[in-house]
């Protein structure tokens, strides 16, 4: 069924008007750079699989992609090693624990369970085919750019801020290595993972990534076929299971769309076959999801009647 573009435009404007200044939450502060991003920033964007774009607020502000990068690297891993290897080596289940949990590894026989928590994301980075650290990084940045339909770049400030404070992630990388669950040098995986989190992206670019996932791998802006169509359902399933961390179940229950958040304040939801819905605002709730971002995305989905389980 064709998308009612007038209704979509109205839904985006209404979601922004109602929620862009919602109170509550706090910027992530364990990464020093993120603590300093202005908390009042707020933006929303939708991009359809036909390339229609509707957006409001700080839609072009470049922010750190953070954990949403995990979906891009997973997309590349699915291309490189295929869905079966991803499921066997990394997993497709929720951990039920915070995104940087070490206990999750201990409980699950050192299997990360999900490519969308830090352990599984570093393992995913490690399975990317590359013969050097720079090749691993360049291939991931190139995938991020092709998904977004724009030449994305890493912020040296964000990267510096993360590389000088990411001791917990380094420890997780070594734990994986000790359990034979790391597929390149563990510090290389941690380094490249940290760089991939430091890419800057705008809300419109994020929604374009979402439209590419929604359109079975075809970027609606560049028209490039970025992903193998049969791989996108695996991506969306992983997002449903763990994309919103400890609130993934509540999100599925109340909104019903695959989504992924990042501690930079970004959030991306996918309406399969139709569009990507992205939002950005730095203050996070206790599990690490943008407070305003969740409200804005949920409002658009509700206004348009988009819920996978109600389709
Ligand atoms: N770079 C961050 C980290 O590894 C990303 C976490 C997130 O966005 N949830 O801790």
């Amino acid at each position: 069924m064709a998308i009612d573009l007038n209704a979509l435009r109205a839904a985006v404007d209404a979601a922004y008007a109602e929620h862009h200044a919602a109170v509550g939450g706090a910027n992530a502060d364990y990464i020093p750079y993120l603590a300093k991003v202005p908390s009042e920033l707020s933006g929303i964007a939708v991009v359809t699989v036909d390339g229609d774009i509707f957006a409001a607020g700080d839609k072009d502000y470049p922010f750190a992609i953070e954990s949403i990068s995990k979906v891009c690297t997973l997309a590349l891993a699915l291309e490189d090693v295929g869905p079966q290897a991803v499921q066997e080596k990394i997993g497709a289940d929720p951990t039920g624990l915070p995104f940087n949990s070490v206990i999750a590894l201990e409980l699950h026989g050192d299997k990360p369970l999900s490519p969308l928590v830090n352990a599984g994301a570093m393992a995913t980075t490690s399975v990317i085919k590359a013969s050097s650290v720079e090749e691993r990084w360049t291939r991931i940045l190139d995938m991020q750019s092709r998904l977004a339909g724009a030449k994305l770049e890493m912020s040296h400030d964000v990267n510096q801020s993360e590389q000088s404070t990411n001791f917990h992630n380094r420890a997780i990388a070594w734990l994986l290595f000790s359990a034979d669950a790391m597929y390149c040098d563990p510090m290389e995986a941690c380094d490249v993972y940290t760089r991939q989190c430091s890419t800057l992206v705008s809300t419109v670019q994020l929604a374009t990534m979402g439209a590419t996932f929604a359109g079975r791998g075809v970027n609606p802006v560049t028209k490039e076929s970025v992903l193998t169509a049969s791989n996108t359902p695996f991506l969306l399933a992983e997002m449903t299971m763990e994309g919103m961390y400890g609130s993934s179940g509540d999100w599925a229950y109340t909104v019903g769309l695959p989504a992924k958040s990042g501690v930079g304040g970004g959030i991306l939801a996918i309406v399969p076959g139709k569009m990507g819905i992205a939002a950005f605002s730095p203050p996070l709730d206790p599990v690490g999801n943008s407070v305003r971002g969740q409200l804005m995305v949920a409002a658009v989905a509700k206004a348009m009647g988009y819920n996978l389980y109600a389709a």
Side-chain angles (χ1 to χ4, degrees):
M1 205 169 64
I3 301 165
D4 180 340
L5 295 180
N6 286 328
L8 182 58
R9 181 188 291 111
V12 168
D13 289 343
Y16 179 75
E18 195 172 341
H19 300 295
H20 79 276
V23 293
N27 285 36
D29 60 4
Y30 73 100
I31 298 169
Y33 177 98
L34 298 179
K36 290 187 287 189
V37 178
S39 302
E40 64 278 10
L41 289 168
S42 193
I44 178 163
V46 300
V47 176
T48 72
V49 294
D50 297 324
D52 304 293
I53 301 174
F54 302 110
D58 300 303
K59 62 189 176 52
D60 297 316
Y61 185 92
F63 59 91
I65 190 169
E66 296 298 344
S67 270
I68 306 169
S69 71
K70 290 166 174 157
V71 184
C72 306
T73 306
L74 170 61
L76 184 55
L78 288 167
E79 298 294 319
D80 276 7
V81 301
Q84 202 181 332
V86 166
Q87 190 181 19
E88 282 166 13
K89 289 182 154 79
I90 297 149
D93 282 305
T95 66
L97 286 160
F99 62 80
N100 58 0
S101 176
V102 172
I103 295 175
L105 284 175
E106 295 282 321
L107 287 177
H108 303 120
D110 292 314
K111 192 173 178 188
L113 291 195
S114 169
L116 303 183
V117 294
N118 291 9
M122 286 188 280
T124 306
T125 299
S126 81
V127 302
I128 299 304
K129 290 196 173 124
S131 52
S132 70
V133 57
E134 288 315 316
E135 189 188 358
R136 192 175 304 282
W137 163 235
T138 309
R139 289 196 67 221
I140 290 173
L141 180 62
D142 181 60
M143 175 53 81
Q144 293 178 337
S145 296
R146 289 162 67 205
L147 289 167
K151 198 176 173 334
L152 300 183
E153 282 178 22
M154 185 192 80
S155 158
H156 289 280
D157 287 348
V158 177
N159 187 50
Q160 216 280 328
S161 187
E162 299 211 22
Q163 299 279 8
S164 57
T165 53
N166 66 352
F167 308 111
H168 189 90
N169 285 341
R170 290 189 221 183
I172 291 174
W174 279 118
L175 275 178
L176 288 168
F177 179 74
S178 76
D180 289 329
M182 199 37 112
Y183 304 94
C184 75
D185 176 86
M187 289 303 93
E188 175 178 334
C190 186
D191 173 9
V192 174
Y193 163 76
T194 306
R195 295 194 219 182
Q196 76 182 42
C197 289
S198 306
T199 296
L200 296 181
V201 71
S202 73
T203 311
V204 171
Q205 289 163 343
L206 198 55
T208 307
M209 287 182 172
T212 307
F213 298 138
R216 307 210 76 179
V218 178
N219 184 314
V221 174
T222 62
K223 314 287 183 217
E224 184 192 353
S225 182
V226 182
L227 306 174
T228 304
S230 58
N231 279 345
T232 57
F234 300 108
L235 271 174
L236 302 185
E238 296 274 17
M239 290 170 86
T240 301
M241 287 298 130
E242 185 62 69
M244 300 295 280
Y245 303 120
S247 326
S248 299
D250 287 323
W251 180 264
Y253 195 89
T254 55
V255 182
L257 294 176
K260 182 75 203 84
S261 63
V263 292
I267 161 167
L268 172 61
I270 315 299
V271 190
K274 289 193 166 63
M275 69 187 72
I277 309 173
F280 156 66
S281 192
L284 309 179
D285 69 12
V287 293
N289 299 324
S290 169
V291 171
R292 296 180 193 129
Q294 291 178 86
L295 290 169
M296 289 191 281
V297 171
V300 171
K302 184 156 186 241
M304 297 300 292
Y306 294 151
N307 178 329
L308 283 195
Y309 310 111

